[in-house]
Amino acid sequence: AEMAARLSENRLVSLPLSRIRVIMKSSPEVSSINQDALFLTAKATELFVQYLASYSYKHGRGKEKNALTYTDLSHTAEECETFQFLADILPKKILASKYLKMLEKEKRDGEVGEGEEEDKEEEDEDEA
């Protein structure tokens, strides 16, 4: 019965459970993984990715081209509060020359007082 249950669970999830188990085990706090926890993590991840993709498609320029682009995903990570935790993972693409200028500016701004630094960062984000 357990084998049959596992087979039906696998059909409900597109992501490979073995890979998710490996990722979960890579955390030092995790010693063993309950089968239900593994399945639910996989399903939640799948639903999250679907939500991210459909939100990015609907709110991006991809709709015009009937395609989902990296730019649509990074724009979602930047603009939508729900997805802002992904901003480091999905950074906005910029030219290397622009990035070097930003680093130079950060170096100069770094010499400004501590309290003013946070305000500067927010201004930089608005410009980007």
Side-chain angles (χ1 to χ4, degrees):
E2 193 179 315
M3 189 62 174
R6 241 183 239 164
L7 284 173
S8 66
E9 275 181 4
N10 287 343
R11 284 192 207 101
L12 294 173
V13 182
S14 301
L15 298 171
L17 294 180
S18 56
R19 292 296 293 269
I20 291 174
R21 180 184 280 113
V22 168
I23 294 167
M24 289 171 80
K25 282 204 169 215
S26 72
S27 175
E29 300 91 48
V30 176
S31 54
S32 66
I33 297 159
N34 174 303
Q35 198 60 30
D36 291 339
L38 176 64
F39 172 73
L40 291 172
T41 301
K43 192 65 186 172
T45 303
E46 190 177 303
L47 293 171
F48 173 77
V49 171
Q50 286 174 357
Y51 179 57
L52 171 64
S54 63
Y55 184 96
S56 300
Y57 180 78
K58 283 182 203 149
H59 295 86
R61 279 174 287 165
K63 226 180 354 182
E64 301 158 18
K65 302 175 204 159
N66 204 22
L68 176 63
T69 65
Y70 178 88
T71 305
D72 296 331
L73 293 167
S74 67
H75 183 76
T76 296
E78 191 179 14
E79 299 298 319
C80 178
E81 201 174 319
T82 306
F83 296 109
Q84 278 179 351
F85 73 98
L86 294 173
D88 293 344
I89 298 164
L90 292 167
K92 201 158 90 174
K93 285 184 179 178
I94 60 167
L95 295 172
S97 57
K98 190 174 180 187
Y99 180 69
L100 292 171
K101 282 179 188 166
M102 280 171 50
L103 285 179
E104 278 302 309
K105 188 178 187 307
E106 278 180 23
K107 251 188 207 167
R108 288 195 305 273
D109 292 350
E111 293 160 16
V112 177
E114 285 287 309
E116 295 172 42
E117 211 168 280
E118 281 183 40
D119 297 336
K120 280 264 185 239
E121 284 177 24
E122 286 174 24
E123 286 171 23
D124 288 349
E125 287 173 17
D126 292 340
E127 289 170 19

